[in-house]
Amino acid sequence: MQQKLAIFVSGDGTNLQAIFFSGVRIHLVVADRPCRALEVAREAGIPLALVERTDFTSSLDYEAHAKQLLALCERYQITFIALAGYKTILVDPILSHYAGKILNIHPSMLPSFPGPHAVRDVLAAGLPGTGCSVHYVTADVDGGRVVARKVVPIYAGDSEASLHARIKAEERLLYPRVISEELAKQ
Ligand code: GRF
């Protein structure tokens, strides 16, 4: 069966750009806020949609957001989703509808340092190295099955920004390849 891939974004879109340039066909880009990644999608000529989130507190109606996302994905007959910097936690009904079909890239060596401040947390821990991980998304945030990881060194004097930039350079190599491999297994 031909897979139809959607990429969910909220930020710079450098992973989205790398996936696009790798030749993996992207059928839809979805953002939860206006962001540079939407410009990347527009320039690439990929269909795009904004499911705008206005509440950035934890009292956001996550289920309503998930319903909007699911309706959109169904309209585009999406079969597989890759989160690339998507900053809103996914819950049911989209999670169970796409169980085992949503990938994420995270800037740490999971299961170490889950959560939204992984790069800051790893620097604070004073370790010599970190990395990035590709994993399947489940209700356990950053806790789903890890399918690939890549080690990244930490240098003396690294800031959160310099370390994150080094991690993202590896993400751009790893993620397109893993998405392509996982799509082929579907
Ligand atoms: C990446 O570091 C990714 O690991 C994290 O969010 C960042 C997205 O960067 N989940 P970009 O928007 O792809 O440039």
Side-chain angles (χ1 to χ4, degrees), residues 70-97:
L70 178 56
L72 184 65
C73 286
E74 288 191 310
R75 196 174 332 135
Y76 281 84
Q77 298 177 304
I78 295 303
T79 61
F80 199 88
I81 298 167
L83 310 184
Y86 198 66
K87 291 188 181 141
T88 300
I89 290 171
L90 299 185
V91 300
D92 277 343
I94 195 165
L95 263 193
S96 45
H97 187 93

PDB file of all heavy atoms in Angstrom, residues 70-97:
ATOM      1  N   LEU A  70      -6.900  14.802  13.736  1.00  0.00           N
ATOM      2  CA  LEU A  70      -7.354  13.549  13.135  1.00  0.00           C
ATOM      3  C   LEU A  70      -8.262  13.818  11.935  1.00  0.00           C
ATOM      4  O   LEU A  70      -8.114  13.189  10.874  1.00  0.00           O
ATOM      5  CB  LEU A  70      -8.072  12.693  14.191  1.00  0.00           C
ATOM      6  CG  LEU A  70      -8.650  11.377  13.684  1.00  0.00           C
ATOM      7  CD1 LEU A  70      -7.582  10.505  13.012  1.00  0.00           C
ATOM      8  CD2 LEU A  70      -9.307  10.593  14.830  1.00  0.00           C
ATOM      9  N   ALA A  71      -9.187  14.782  12.090  1.00  0.00           N
ATOM     10  CA  ALA A  71     -10.102  15.095  10.982  1.00  0.00           C
ATOM     11  C   ALA A  71      -9.307  15.539   9.756  1.00  0.00           C
ATOM     12  O   ALA A  71      -9.586  15.123   8.626  1.00  0.00           O
ATOM     13  CB  ALA A  71     -11.081  16.177  11.417  1.00  0.00           C
ATOM     14  N   LEU A  72      -8.285  16.352   9.994  1.00  0.00           N
ATOM     15  CA  LEU A  72      -7.442  16.844   8.901  1.00  0.00           C
ATOM     16  C   LEU A  72      -6.697  15.691   8.227  1.00  0.00           C
ATOM     17  O   LEU A  72      -6.671  15.567   6.994  1.00  0.00           O
ATOM     18  CB  LEU A  72      -6.459  17.863   9.483  1.00  0.00           C
ATOM     19  CG  LEU A  72      -5.532  18.582   8.541  1.00  0.00           C
ATOM     20  CD1 LEU A  72      -6.314  19.468   7.581  1.00  0.00           C
ATOM     21  CD2 LEU A  72      -4.547  19.441   9.354  1.00  0.00           C
ATOM     22  N   CYS A  73      -6.103  14.832   9.043  1.00  0.00           N
ATOM     23  CA  CYS A  73      -5.339  13.703   8.491  1.00  0.00           C
ATOM     24  C   CYS A  73      -6.246  12.756   7.719  1.00  0.00           C
ATOM     25  O   CYS A  73      -5.840  12.206   6.688  1.00  0.00           O
ATOM     26  CB  CYS A  73      -4.607  12.961   9.606  1.00  0.00           C
ATOM     27  SG  CYS A  73      -3.189  13.876  10.225  1.00  0.00           S
ATOM     28  N   GLU A  74      -7.459  12.571   8.208  1.00  0.00           N
ATOM     29  CA  GLU A  74      -8.384  11.689   7.483  1.00  0.00           C
ATOM     30  C   GLU A  74      -8.760  12.309   6.143  1.00  0.00           C
ATOM     31  O   GLU A  74      -8.855  11.623   5.130  1.00  0.00           O
ATOM     32  CB  GLU A  74      -9.612  11.389   8.333  1.00  0.00           C
ATOM     33  CG  GLU A  74      -9.248  10.440   9.473  1.00  0.00           C
ATOM     34  CD  GLU A  74     -10.459   9.899  10.198  1.00  0.00           C
ATOM     35  OE1 GLU A  74     -11.331  10.704  10.587  1.00  0.00           O
ATOM     36  OE2 GLU A  74     -10.519   8.669  10.399  1.00  0.00           O
ATOM     37  N   ARG A  75      -8.951  13.638   6.139  1.00  0.00           N
ATOM     38  CA  ARG A  75      -9.311  14.317   4.889  1.00  0.00           C
ATOM     39  C   ARG A  75      -8.214  14.113   3.837  1.00  0.00           C
ATOM     40  O   ARG A  75      -8.490  13.959   2.659  1.00  0.00           O
ATOM     41  CB  ARG A  75      -9.530  15.811   5.160  1.00  0.00           C
ATOM     42  CG  ARG A  75     -10.255  16.503   4.036  1.00  0.00           C
ATOM     43  CD  ARG A  75     -10.616  17.967   4.332  1.00  0.00           C
ATOM     44  NE  ARG A  75     -10.819  18.293   5.726  1.00  0.00           N
ATOM     45  CZ  ARG A  75     -10.301  19.383   6.309  1.00  0.00           C
ATOM     46  NH1 ARG A  75      -9.544  20.211   5.632  1.00  0.00           N
ATOM     47  NH2 ARG A  75     -10.542  19.622   7.576  1.00  0.00           N
ATOM     48  N   TYR A  76      -6.957  14.094   4.275  1.00  0.00           N
ATOM     49  CA  TYR A  76      -5.833  13.913   3.340  1.00  0.00           C
ATOM     50  C   TYR A  76      -5.421  12.438   3.205  1.00  0.00           C
ATOM     51  O   TYR A  76      -4.423  12.134   2.580  1.00  0.00           O
ATOM     52  CB  TYR A  76      -4.626  14.754   3.787  1.00  0.00           C
ATOM     53  CG  TYR A  76      -4.735  16.205   3.422  1.00  0.00           C
ATOM     54  CD1 TYR A  76      -5.429  17.092   4.238  1.00  0.00           C
ATOM     55  CD2 TYR A  76      -4.155  16.703   2.255  1.00  0.00           C
ATOM     56  CE1 TYR A  76      -5.549  18.439   3.909  1.00  0.00           C
ATOM     57  CE2 TYR A  76      -4.259  18.042   1.914  1.00  0.00           C
ATOM     58  CZ  TYR A  76      -4.952  18.906   2.747  1.00  0.00           C
ATOM     59  OH  TYR A  76      -5.058  20.237   2.414  1.00  0.00           O
ATOM     60  N   GLN A  77      -6.209  11.545   3.820  1.00  0.00           N
ATOM     61  CA  GLN A  77      -5.942  10.093   3.767  1.00  0.00           C
ATOM     62  C   GLN A  77      -4.513   9.754   4.192  1.00  0.00           C
ATOM     63  O   GLN A  77      -3.837   8.919   3.579  1.00  0.00           O
ATOM     64  CB  GLN A  77      -6.232   9.551   2.366  1.00  0.00           C
ATOM     65  CG  GLN A  77      -7.692   9.729   1.992  1.00  0.00           C
ATOM     66  CD  GLN A  77      -7.975   9.263   0.588  1.00  0.00           C
ATOM     67  OE1 GLN A  77      -7.341   9.724  -0.376  1.00  0.00           O
ATOM     68  NE2 GLN A  77      -8.910   8.339   0.452  1.00  0.00           N
ATOM     69  N   ILE A  78      -4.071  10.430   5.269  1.00  0.00           N
ATOM     70  CA  ILE A  78      -2.719  10.223   5.797  1.00  0.00           C
ATOM     71  C   ILE A  78      -2.639   8.839   6.451  1.00  0.00           C
ATOM     72  O   ILE A  78      -3.555   8.431   7.180  1.00  0.00           O
ATOM     73  CB  ILE A  78      -2.384  11.336   6.824  1.00  0.00           C
ATOM     74  CG1 ILE A  78      -2.337  12.703   6.137  1.00  0.00           C
ATOM     75  CG2 ILE A  78      -1.099  11.026   7.585  1.00  0.00           C
ATOM     76  CD1 ILE A  78      -1.368  12.836   4.987  1.00  0.00           C
ATOM     77  N   THR A  79      -1.531   8.123   6.192  1.00  0.00           N
ATOM     78  CA  THR A  79      -1.359   6.785   6.780  1.00  0.00           C
ATOM     79  C   THR A  79      -0.223   6.743   7.793  1.00  0.00           C
ATOM     80  O   THR A  79      -0.101   5.771   8.551  1.00  0.00           O
ATOM     81  CB  THR A  79      -1.063   5.736   5.688  1.00  0.00           C
ATOM     82  OG1 THR A  79       0.158   6.105   5.031  1.00  0.00           O
ATOM     83  CG2 THR A  79      -2.194   5.641   4.679  1.00  0.00           C
ATOM     84  N   PHE A  80       0.654   7.747   7.794  1.00  0.00           N
ATOM     85  CA  PHE A  80       1.832   7.726   8.680  1.00  0.00           C
ATOM     86  C   PHE A  80       2.195   9.178   9.007  1.00  0.00           C
ATOM     87  O   PHE A  80       2.083  10.052   8.138  1.00  0.00           O
ATOM     88  CB  PHE A  80       3.003   7.037   7.963  1.00  0.00           C
ATOM     89  CG  PHE A  80       4.089   6.551   8.876  1.00  0.00           C
ATOM     90  CD1 PHE A  80       4.029   5.288   9.455  1.00  0.00           C
ATOM     91  CD2 PHE A  80       5.194   7.348   9.167  1.00  0.00           C
ATOM     92  CE1 PHE A  80       5.036   4.826  10.298  1.00  0.00           C
ATOM     93  CE2 PHE A  80       6.212   6.907  10.010  1.00  0.00           C
ATOM     94  CZ  PHE A  80       6.125   5.635  10.569  1.00  0.00           C
ATOM     95  N   ILE A  81       2.615   9.405  10.262  1.00  0.00           N
ATOM     96  CA  ILE A  81       2.912  10.768  10.732  1.00  0.00           C
ATOM     97  C   ILE A  81       4.311  10.798  11.328  1.00  0.00           C
ATOM     98  O   ILE A  81       4.701   9.893  12.070  1.00  0.00           O
ATOM     99  CB  ILE A  81       1.879  11.204  11.811  1.00  0.00           C
ATOM    100  CG1 ILE A  81       0.463  11.244  11.215  1.00  0.00           C
ATOM    101  CG2 ILE A  81       2.251  12.563  12.412  1.00  0.00           C
ATOM    102  CD1 ILE A  81      -0.649  11.363  12.250  1.00  0.00           C
ATOM    103  N   ALA A  82       5.073  11.858  11.001  1.00  0.00           N
ATOM    104  CA  ALA A  82       6.368  12.073  11.660  1.00  0.00           C
ATOM    105  C   ALA A  82       6.332  13.453  12.323  1.00  0.00           C
ATOM    106  O   ALA A  82       6.098  14.463  11.645  1.00  0.00           O
ATOM    107  CB  ALA A  82       7.506  11.992  10.651  1.00  0.00           C
ATOM    108  N   LEU A  83       6.515  13.465  13.635  1.00  0.00           N
ATOM    109  CA  LEU A  83       6.604  14.741  14.352  1.00  0.00           C
ATOM    110  C   LEU A  83       8.020  15.263  14.174  1.00  0.00           C
ATOM    111  O   LEU A  83       8.992  14.530  14.391  1.00  0.00           O
ATOM    112  CB  LEU A  83       6.304  14.548  15.846  1.00  0.00           C
ATOM    113  CG  LEU A  83       5.022  13.782  16.209  1.00  0.00           C
ATOM    114  CD1 LEU A  83       4.837  13.780  17.735  1.00  0.00           C
ATOM    115  CD2 LEU A  83       3.811  14.381  15.520  1.00  0.00           C
ATOM    116  N   ALA A  84       8.139  16.530  13.771  1.00  0.00           N
ATOM    117  CA  ALA A  84       9.464  17.124  13.586  1.00  0.00           C
ATOM    118  C   ALA A  84       9.465  18.467  14.324  1.00  0.00           C
ATOM    119  O   ALA A  84       9.294  19.526  13.721  1.00  0.00           O
ATOM    120  CB  ALA A  84       9.766  17.298  12.106  1.00  0.00           C
ATOM    121  N   GLY A  85       9.593  18.356  15.651  1.00  0.00           N
ATOM    122  CA  GLY A  85       9.575  19.566  16.468  1.00  0.00           C
ATOM    123  C   GLY A  85       8.165  19.998  16.842  1.00  0.00           C
ATOM    124  O   GLY A  85       7.947  21.153  17.203  1.00  0.00           O
ATOM    125  N   TYR A  86       7.187  19.074  16.753  1.00  0.00           N
ATOM    126  CA  TYR A  86       5.799  19.423  17.124  1.00  0.00           C
ATOM    127  C   TYR A  86       5.703  19.552  18.635  1.00  0.00           C
ATOM    128  O   TYR A  86       6.076  18.621  19.363  1.00  0.00           O
ATOM    129  CB  TYR A  86       4.831  18.358  16.619  1.00  0.00           C
ATOM    130  CG  TYR A  86       3.396  18.845  16.573  1.00  0.00           C
ATOM    131  CD1 TYR A  86       3.024  19.859  15.694  1.00  0.00           C
ATOM    132  CD2 TYR A  86       2.421  18.301  17.398  1.00  0.00           C
ATOM    133  CE1 TYR A  86       1.717  20.319  15.639  1.00  0.00           C
ATOM    134  CE2 TYR A  86       1.104  18.749  17.341  1.00  0.00           C
ATOM    135  CZ  TYR A  86       0.760  19.758  16.460  1.00  0.00           C
ATOM    136  OH  TYR A  86      -0.538  20.206  16.403  1.00  0.00           O
ATOM    137  N   LYS A  87       5.198  20.717  19.101  1.00  0.00           N
ATOM    138  CA  LYS A  87       5.304  21.013  20.528  1.00  0.00           C
ATOM    139  C   LYS A  87       4.030  20.770  21.326  1.00  0.00           C
ATOM    140  O   LYS A  87       3.984  21.107  22.503  1.00  0.00           O
ATOM    141  CB  LYS A  87       5.774  22.457  20.711  1.00  0.00           C
ATOM    142  CG  LYS A  87       7.219  22.664  20.268  1.00  0.00           C
ATOM    143  CD  LYS A  87       7.719  24.044  20.624  1.00  0.00           C
ATOM    144  CE  LYS A  87       9.146  24.239  20.152  1.00  0.00           C
ATOM    145  NZ  LYS A  87       9.376  25.587  19.635  1.00  0.00           N
ATOM    146  N   THR A  88       2.990  20.215  20.698  1.00  0.00           N
ATOM    147  CA  THR A  88       1.778  19.904  21.463  1.00  0.00           C
ATOM    148  C   THR A  88       1.681  18.391  21.641  1.00  0.00           C
ATOM    149  O   THR A  88       1.821  17.632  20.668  1.00  0.00           O
ATOM    150  CB  THR A  88       0.523  20.427  20.728  1.00  0.00           C
ATOM    151  OG1 THR A  88       0.646  21.838  20.572  1.00  0.00           O
ATOM    152  CG2 THR A  88      -0.748  20.128  21.538  1.00  0.00           C
ATOM    153  N   ILE A  89       1.462  17.969  22.885  1.00  0.00           N
ATOM    154  CA  ILE A  89       1.356  16.537  23.183  1.00  0.00           C
ATOM    155  C   ILE A  89       0.120  15.955  22.486  1.00  0.00           C
ATOM    156  O   ILE A  89      -0.954  16.563  22.523  1.00  0.00           O
ATOM    157  CB  ILE A  89       1.299  16.323  24.715  1.00  0.00           C
ATOM    158  CG1 ILE A  89       2.671  16.652  25.307  1.00  0.00           C
ATOM    159  CG2 ILE A  89       0.873  14.901  25.071  1.00  0.00           C
ATOM    160  CD1 ILE A  89       2.693  16.688  26.820  1.00  0.00           C
ATOM    161  N   LEU A  90       0.294  14.805  21.854  1.00  0.00           N
ATOM    162  CA  LEU A  90      -0.823  14.149  21.174  1.00  0.00           C
ATOM    163  C   LEU A  90      -1.526  13.183  22.120  1.00  0.00           C
ATOM    164  O   LEU A  90      -0.869  12.455  22.864  1.00  0.00           O
ATOM    165  CB  LEU A  90      -0.325  13.383  19.940  1.00  0.00           C
ATOM    166  CG  LEU A  90       0.358  14.210  18.854  1.00  0.00           C
ATOM    167  CD1 LEU A  90       0.688  13.326  17.654  1.00  0.00           C
ATOM    168  CD2 LEU A  90      -0.500  15.390  18.418  1.00  0.00           C
ATOM    169  N   VAL A  91      -2.848  13.213  22.074  1.00  0.00           N
ATOM    170  CA  VAL A  91      -3.661  12.302  22.896  1.00  0.00           C
ATOM    171  C   VAL A  91      -4.691  11.645  21.978  1.00  0.00           C
ATOM    172  O   VAL A  91      -4.714  11.912  20.771  1.00  0.00           O
ATOM    173  CB  VAL A  91      -4.376  13.081  24.045  1.00  0.00           C
ATOM    174  CG1 VAL A  91      -3.362  13.753  24.962  1.00  0.00           C
ATOM    175  CG2 VAL A  91      -5.367  14.106  23.494  1.00  0.00           C
ATOM    176  N   ASP A  92      -5.571  10.845  22.559  1.00  0.00           N
ATOM    177  CA  ASP A  92      -6.661  10.273  21.777  1.00  0.00           C
ATOM    178  C   ASP A  92      -7.622  11.383  21.356  1.00  0.00           C
ATOM    179  O   ASP A  92      -7.749  12.365  22.070  1.00  0.00           O
ATOM    180  CB  ASP A  92      -7.406   9.224  22.618  1.00  0.00           C
ATOM    181  CG  ASP A  92      -6.688   7.885  22.568  1.00  0.00           C
ATOM    182  OD1 ASP A  92      -5.846   7.692  21.666  1.00  0.00           O
ATOM    183  OD2 ASP A  92      -6.973   7.052  23.436  1.00  0.00           O
ATOM    184  N   PRO A  93      -8.262  11.263  20.185  1.00  0.00           N
ATOM    185  CA  PRO A  93      -8.355  10.056  19.363  1.00  0.00           C
ATOM    186  C   PRO A  93      -7.227   9.872  18.341  1.00  0.00           C
ATOM    187  O   PRO A  93      -7.145   8.786  17.766  1.00  0.00           O
ATOM    188  CB  PRO A  93      -9.691  10.230  18.644  1.00  0.00           C
ATOM    189  CG  PRO A  93      -9.823  11.708  18.477  1.00  0.00           C
ATOM    190  CD  PRO A  93      -9.206  12.318  19.699  1.00  0.00           C
ATOM    191  N   ILE A  94      -6.348  10.843  18.137  1.00  0.00           N
ATOM    192  CA  ILE A  94      -5.379  10.646  17.046  1.00  0.00           C
ATOM    193  C   ILE A  94      -4.365   9.561  17.399  1.00  0.00           C
ATOM    194  O   ILE A  94      -3.931   8.784  16.553  1.00  0.00           O
ATOM    195  CB  ILE A  94      -4.690  11.971  16.632  1.00  0.00           C
ATOM    196  CG1 ILE A  94      -3.977  11.777  15.274  1.00  0.00           C
ATOM    197  CG2 ILE A  94      -3.697  12.467  17.681  1.00  0.00           C
ATOM    198  CD1 ILE A  94      -3.579  13.053  14.581  1.00  0.00           C
ATOM    199  N   LEU A  95      -4.014   9.467  18.695  1.00  0.00           N
ATOM    200  CA  LEU A  95      -3.000   8.482  19.108  1.00  0.00           C
ATOM    201  C   LEU A  95      -3.433   7.061  18.813  1.00  0.00           C
ATOM    202  O   LEU A  95      -2.667   6.271  18.264  1.00  0.00           O
ATOM    203  CB  LEU A  95      -2.727   8.613  20.612  1.00  0.00           C
ATOM    204  CG  LEU A  95      -1.542   9.423  21.084  1.00  0.00           C
ATOM    205  CD1 LEU A  95      -1.300   9.126  22.558  1.00  0.00           C
ATOM    206  CD2 LEU A  95      -0.296   9.114  20.276  1.00  0.00           C
ATOM    207  N   SER A  96      -4.672   6.721  19.197  1.00  0.00           N
ATOM    208  CA  SER A  96      -5.086   5.330  18.975  1.00  0.00           C
ATOM    209  C   SER A  96      -5.383   5.069  17.501  1.00  0.00           C
ATOM    210  O   SER A  96      -5.143   3.969  17.005  1.00  0.00           O
ATOM    211  CB  SER A  96      -6.264   4.950  19.857  1.00  0.00           C
ATOM    212  OG  SER A  96      -7.218   5.948  19.834  1.00  0.00           O
ATOM    213  N   HIS A  97      -5.857   6.095  16.789  1.00  0.00           N
ATOM    214  CA  HIS A  97      -6.132   5.912  15.359  1.00  0.00           C
ATOM    215  C   HIS A  97      -4.836   5.581  14.604  1.00  0.00           C
ATOM    216  O   HIS A  97      -4.830   4.747  13.696  1.00  0.00           O
ATOM    217  CB  HIS A  97      -6.767   7.178  14.773  1.00  0.00           C
ATOM    218  CG  HIS A  97      -7.237   7.009  13.367  1.00  0.00           C
ATOM    219  ND1 HIS A  97      -8.529   6.648  13.052  1.00  0.00           N
ATOM    220  CD2 HIS A  97      -6.588   7.113  12.183  1.00  0.00           C
ATOM    221  CE1 HIS A  97      -8.647   6.549  11.745  1.00  0.00           C
ATOM    222  NE2 HIS A  97      -7.484   6.830  11.186  1.00  0.00           N
TER     223      HIS A  97
END
